[in-house]
Amino acid sequence: MEEQQFVLDRMSSISRFIYETMPSFDIAGYVLFLVIFLLSLLVYKLGFAKKLHFKQNLVIYLFLLLGCLMLTFLAFFLPVVEGLIVAALILIVYKIRLRLEKRNSSTTLR
């Protein structure tokens, strides 16, 4: 029990929250992986995605899934989830400003 508390004390905040609220450590690991994968998918879509064929998207998502597996191991003690949240927020603000600027430039040209 003392070892578990030592590990929980050293975890990053969101990872610790997931591990403290889930009923078992196995489920918490899967939830952490799912959170990292969904946030990585959001960041990819907002910042880097282009129109590609289905097979090309499938390959990209497969490698994204494998990369998120490695990120999950790092997320125990590093703020990976927090970094993905910040990246997603920055890209959301960027996309909103880009749309507003496009809308303003199209109305001034008329």
Side-chain angles (χ1 to χ4, degrees):
M1 188 66 174
E2 185 178 312
E3 295 169 354
Q4 287 180 350
Q5 190 59 39
F6 176 74
V7 171
L8 282 174
D9 289 340
R10 295 186 48 121
M11 280 185 163
S12 65
S13 60
I14 294 178
S15 299
R16 182 175 2 148
F17 175 75
I18 290 172
Y19 271 84
E20 287 175 346
T21 56
M22 290 294 128
S24 73
F25 285 159
D26 291 336
I27 294 172
Y30 290 123
V31 168
L32 182 62
F33 174 73
L34 184 66
V35 166
I36 289 173
F37 179 69
L38 292 176
L39 285 171
S40 297
L41 189 66
L42 179 66
V43 168
Y44 170 71
K45 283 289 201 182
L46 288 173
F48 306 104
K50 294 183 179 183
K51 300 278 185 184
L52 297 174
H53 297 291
F54 177 73
K55 290 181 182 179
Q56 292 171 332
N57 275 332
L58 192 63
V59 169
I60 287 174
Y61 293 140
L62 178 69
F63 280 108
L64 186 66
L65 190 74
L66 293 173
C68 288
L69 183 64
M70 292 173 46
L71 283 177
T72 303
F73 290 116
L74 293 174
F76 292 124
F77 301 112
L78 297 174
V80 173
V81 178
E82 292 87 345
L84 286 170
I85 290 171
V86 169
L89 290 174
I90 289 171
L91 288 170
I92 288 169
V93 168
Y94 171 73
K95 290 289 185 176
I96 290 171
R97 290 195 62 198
L98 189 65
R99 282 191 180 161
L100 290 175
E101 192 172 307
K102 280 185 179 179
R103 187 183 309 155
N104 288 340
S105 68
S106 66
T107 58
T108 57
L109 291 176
R110 292 182 185 183

